[in-house]
Amino acid sequence: MHRLIIVSNRLPFALDSAGEDLWTVTPAVGGLVSAVEPVLRERGGTWIGWPGTAGEIPNEPLAKATRDAGYNVVPVALSETERDEFYYGYSNEVIWPLFHDLQNFCNFDPAYWQAYKQVNERYADAIIRNARPGDFIWVHDYHLMYVAQALRERSTSENLSALTFFLHIPFPPYDIFSKLPQQRRLLRALLQFDLLGFQTRRDVRNFLQCVRRVMPDTKVVSRGETHVIRFEKRKIRVGHFPIGIDFDSFENEAKSEAVAQRSQKLRASFPDCQLILGSDRLDYSKGIPERLRAFRDALERYPELRGRVVLIQIVVPSRVEIPRYNEFKNRIDRLVGDINGRFSTSTWIPVQYHFRGLDREDLLAHFRACDIAFITPLKDGMNLVAKEYCACRIDQDGTLILSQFAGAAEQLKPDALLVNPYDVEQMADTIVKAFRMNPAERTARMKRMLRMVRKENVFWWVDSFLAAGSQLTRKVTRSRRN
Ligand code: GDG
């Protein structure tokens, strides 16, 4: 088995200065960490990433945070300017909105690209310092698309095994991607990897379309689900690898006495109501205002719902330093205020809103207690919350309303109720459909979703990606020996 080196922008925890020599360590919340952490914990290896604090990284708190991790942690330091221009800037004001088809939210400041390259070079240096020949190098996500190019520029990649990359967010279609000023440079950089993994067939299709249009000096050969790009005498493999969850751990924890009690308590607080759950990081791509508007429309047009449903909306604070995220929070606050102001009675408040992360036990209790999950991203690479909700439905009951633009829809579509998050009326009608659905149909749908989420779990995801990468590792090692 190859030694696994995971490289991602963030480590699975964040260090925060709480005053002179005082540091707090908090677990990072997000899909990448939820998926990759259990894998490294099981297999061991090395995780290279940024601990989320600008400036020098304090040794002692870092050592304390990683002592029991079960894998090595290699921190990468970012200065304040790099954090602002690489992380908040190019990653989150250019790539994130553009790749979620929200081009109007982009700020194409040219200084950001320089910072992006510079920080990617820093990560490449960290890989060079820590990797040995034969290691499986797996770079993650949109912050680090330039790493392989930086490694090859340092011409040490001869000593490295195959370089692999997985994109957690969607890849946009050509009409959108072509707005990016660095479109050619970015594609060229991505083609320096040996294996490129995407969440869905949709993303692979979009990526190959962009390669064909922007890089005429490439040749794409597709045979069924296998795609190979020939570029500069190299072969780059491209495939879709839908990410999954650590199913057993969700299921087992959901069955625990502690979660059962919290879930019963939650249910008891809303007698005679069906509970609808929304749970997202604070992000404009997650479709939270659209969801609230749909809920408001449902209450307006279907009076039978009044006093009979409650929407529990959890919003986990995220990237709040970016002004747009703050404005976005204000929009959500106003909508919740409007709905509760219009429809509340002395015994019923329609929206329960939490602007904070829940601890895992509480989150699972919510998954277990809520009859309907209402997940409506405008676009999403996968959306793990949808899968986690299913895994926690140990009674095999419950309905999933899911955006057709979430990657998860590709796998769950026959049984989830798919909606267009831009169509408020359709979403409102779907809430009623879920509310009225008979138990036998709910169970039949949930059973099939459970089967899929259990089978195509996070370990299945890793194994299929590593299997595709290992073929390359063997080839690269062999060709370098000859
Ligand atoms: C990116 C892509 C892709 C949520 N609320 C709480 C909480 N969470 C956890 C969930 C889940 C994670 O955060 C969110 O994952 P998502 O997949 O839904 O979304 P992103 O963070 O945007 O992730 C996404 C993913 O990468 C993986 O490839 O699916 O498309 O955008 O695990 O459970 N965790 C805790 N408290 C909460 O209140 N502890």
Side-chain angles (χ1 to χ4, degrees):
M1 192 163 77
H2 299 282
R3 213 170 61 127
L4 185 57
I5 299 202
I6 297 284
V7 191
S8 69
N9 169 53
R10 294 292 291 266
L11 287 170
F13 56 84
L15 287 180
D16 216 352
S17 162
E20 209 177 310
D21 286 340
L22 274 178
W23 291 86
T24 55
V25 181
T26 31
V29 173
L32 187 154
V33 168
S34 305
V36 174
E37 228 269 336
V39 172
L40 260 192
R41 220 181 313 120
E42 196 191 71
R43 294 177 52 113
T46 298
W47 194 327
I48 299 177
W50 176 50
T53 180
E56 247 175 69
I57 297 164
N59 281 330
E60 216 179 295
L62 183 84
K64 221 163 131 193
T66 57
R67 207 170 22 221
D68 302 322
Y71 48 85
N72 301 324
V73 169
V74 176
V76 175
L78 299 189
S79 70
E80 276 184 29
T81 314
E82 285 169 342
R83 178 200 57 195
D84 292 347
E85 297 190 345
F86 152 77
Y87 178 64
Y88 292 134
Y90 200 78
S91 302
N92 286 318
E93 281 188 41
V94 179
I95 298 296
W96 177 272
L98 191 76
F99 280 32
H100 287 87
D101 300 353
L102 299 165
Q103 51 191 304
N104 293 343
F105 288 16
C106 294
N107 172 8
F108 294 113
D109 184 334
Y112 290 170
W113 171 246
Q114 293 311 325
Y116 186 80
K117 283 201 312 187
Q118 192 179 316
V119 171
N120 273 247
E121 282 160 5
R122 179 94 40 81
Y123 277 86
D125 290 334
I127 296 173
I128 289 167
R129 277 198 305 276
N130 288 282
R132 298 194 297 254
D135 286 349
F136 191 102
I137 296 167
W138 189 1
V139 180
H140 288 257
D141 226 1
Y142 63 104
H143 319 81
L144 300 180
M145 294 186 281
Y146 197 81
V147 163
Q149 165 116 27
L151 281 168
R152 296 204 193 273
E153 278 164 4
R154 279 154 175 68
S155 66
T156 48
S157 55
E158 283 305 298
N159 301 322
L160 299 171
S161 326
L163 300 173
T164 70
F165 177 81
F166 183 78
L167 185 69
H168 289 254
I169 66 172
F171 199 91
Y174 173 73
D175 280 355
I176 302 233
F177 183 73
S178 56
K179 312 283 181 334
L180 184 69
Q182 300 79 20
Q183 54 189 281
R184 204 179 142 74
R185 279 170 279 175
L186 197 72
L187 282 184
R188 190 170 198 288
L190 277 173
L191 294 179
Q192 303 307 314
F193 286 100
D194 299 297
L195 170 66
L196 293 167
F198 297 89
Q199 297 271 27
T200 63
R201 291 187 180 87
R202 164 195 74 187
D203 303 309
V204 168
R205 209 166 39 237
N206 288 344
F207 177 72
L208 294 177
Q209 181 200 30
C210 291
V211 167
R212 286 191 185 101
R213 299 288 293 266
V214 181
M215 311 281 291
D217 44 344
T218 55
K219 187 163 179 253
V220 181
V221 182
S222 297
R223 228 175 271 128
E225 303 272 3
T226 314
H227 312 276
V228 176
I229 302 174
R230 287 177 180 274
F231 177 58
E232 292 179 341
K233 300 195 186 140
R234 294 181 38 257
K235 280 188 195 166
I236 301 101
R237 256 150 244 267
V238 180
H240 78 282
F241 303 88
I243 198 165
I245 60 166
D246 184 355
F247 183 90
D248 291 346
S249 86
F250 276 94
E251 190 186 49
N252 292 336
E253 279 180 62
K255 280 182 186 157
S256 72
E257 194 44 42
V259 169
Q261 277 182 14
R262 285 173 93 152
S263 145
Q264 272 161 19
K265 208 166 146 206
L266 187 65
R267 286 220 62 102
S269 327
F270 306 101
D272 302 324
C273 281
Q274 286 200 24
L275 302 183
I276 306 177
L277 179 68
S279 173
D280 319 77
R281 279 188 309 99
L282 176 71
D283 199 284
Y284 48 78
S285 68
K286 299 290 181 186
I288 305 169
E290 290 77 4
R291 181 181 318 159
L292 289 167
R293 280 202 289 273
F295 186 61
R296 181 174 64 190
D297 188 47
L299 294 179
E300 253 160 25
R301 289 195 291 122
Y302 299 96
E304 67 178 282
L305 296 180
R306 296 185 202 159
R308 305 283 314 282
V309 291
V310 168
L311 171 63
I312 302 178
Q313 178 61 59
I314 300 157
V315 179
V316 186
S318 172
R319 305 178 195 165
V320 274
E321 296 82 353
I322 301 177
R324 194 176 285 285
Y325 281 73
N326 221 0
E327 287 159 27
F328 180 67
K329 175 185 180 291
N330 294 338
R331 264 178 70 201
I332 297 171
D333 292 354
R334 280 197 299 274
L335 269 164
V336 171
D338 176 55
I339 299 171
N340 285 343
R342 280 168 63 179
F343 295 99
S344 292
T345 64
S346 55
T347 52
W348 172 69
I349 300 174
V351 185
Q352 290 278 321
Y353 170 44
H354 306 281
F355 184 66
R356 62 188 162 82
L358 306 183
D359 64 40
R360 186 166 156 108
E361 206 174 88
D362 206 7
L363 182 69
L364 268 56
H366 277 75
F367 288 149
R368 209 179 135 168
C370 290
D371 307 279
I372 299 168
F374 192 19
I375 301 176
T376 58
L378 304 178
K379 197 152 184 193
D380 216 334
M382 177 56 59
N383 195 294
L384 294 180
V385 175
K387 295 186 172 181
E388 293 166 4
Y389 174 73
C390 296
C392 293
R393 303 306 298 169
I394 50 174
D395 55 0
Q396 305 192 328
D397 195 356
T399 307
L400 176 63
I401 303 179
L402 181 63
S403 163
Q404 67 188 88
F405 305 123
E410 219 170 72
Q411 290 166 296
L412 297 170
K413 75 179 151 212
D415 297 303
L417 302 182
L418 291 198
V419 290
N420 170 0
Y422 294 96
D423 187 344
V424 166
E425 290 180 344
Q426 182 216 22
M427 283 200 285
D429 295 342
T430 308
I431 292 175
V432 181
K433 184 172 173 187
F435 176 78
R436 292 179 187 157
M437 191 181 283
N438 71 59
E441 183 177 353
R442 287 199 310 253
T443 301
R445 285 172 182 263
M446 185 50 76
K447 270 187 175 170
R448 287 190 293 262
M449 290 196 281
L450 266 166
R451 212 173 299 136
M452 201 290 302
V453 177
R454 176 183 281 121
K455 181 166 160 264
E456 302 192 352
N457 62 30
V458 75
F459 300 105
W460 170 88
W461 169 71
V462 169
D463 288 347
S464 49
F465 191 88
L466 293 187
S470 298
Q471 291 171 6
L472 297 171
T473 315
R474 278 196 296 276
K475 274 191 195 138
V476 172
T477 320
R478 226 181 291 131
S479 72
R480 280 178 193 152
R481 238 184 271 129
N482 297 337

